[in-house]
Amino acid sequence: MRQRILKLVPQLLAILVLAALALAVWAAWLGWDQHRDVHPDGSTTGPYEAWQVIGLVLTLLPLVYWAASRRYIAGAVLGITGGLTAAAYYDWSDDSSGLFMVGVGMVMVGSLVVTAVISAVIASVKRDGR
């Protein structure tokens, strides 16, 4: 029983560390830009630019690679997904329309699927020794 618990500790630690890092990366890339851009025709965009989201994704990829290459698949998937979901919830919860939960759900499902697929590919490539 004790050995089983000791095998879970690195996985749980990976989940917590990756969740905290995902929160920090969200804050670094997306947390500071909170205004929408109003165009001359009255339409609005934002609050994030494409380069910010691309930077977020490219910053998270090495974290996923690190965890998946060490067989912390649950850590990669649950940590990144949990961190991004919590960050999105905190960042968007002041929306008065209540639709922020739709966006939070989309962040959760999207990050869950993408990190699961990327982690599975990395783990299978590392297992084959390539």
Side-chain angles (χ1 to χ4, degrees):
M1 179 74 164
R2 183 174 166 89
Q3 290 177 348
R4 184 181 263 171
I5 292 173
L6 288 177
K7 287 182 180 180
L8 288 177
V9 169
Q11 196 72 255
L12 293 173
L13 189 60
I15 291 171
L16 292 174
V17 168
L18 289 172
L21 288 173
L23 274 163
V25 169
W26 178 288
W29 283 103
L30 305 178
W32 53 273
D33 191 4
Q34 298 296 321
H35 72 280
R36 295 192 177 274
D37 298 324
V38 180
H39 299 285
D41 64 355
S43 64
T44 60
T45 59
Y48 313 121
E49 299 292 331
W51 65 267
Q52 291 173 287
V53 178
I54 292 168
L56 172 70
V57 170
L58 292 177
T59 307
L60 289 173
L61 280 176
L63 300 176
V64 174
Y65 177 81
W66 174 84
S69 65
R70 286 162 179 74
R71 302 278 186 218
Y72 300 140
I73 304 298
V77 174
L78 297 177
I80 298 293
T81 301
L84 290 180
T85 303
Y89 181 85
Y90 179 79
D91 197 15
W92 300 339
S93 63
D94 61 347
D95 178 41
S96 61
S97 71
L99 289 176
F100 77 94
M101 283 306 294
V102 174
V104 171
M106 292 171 69
V107 167
M108 182 181 66
V109 171
S111 61
L112 180 73
V113 169
V114 170
T115 54
V117 168
I118 291 174
S119 297
V121 168
I122 291 170
S124 68
V125 166
K126 291 297 262 186
R127 181 179 59 223
D128 293 341
R130 289 183 248 150

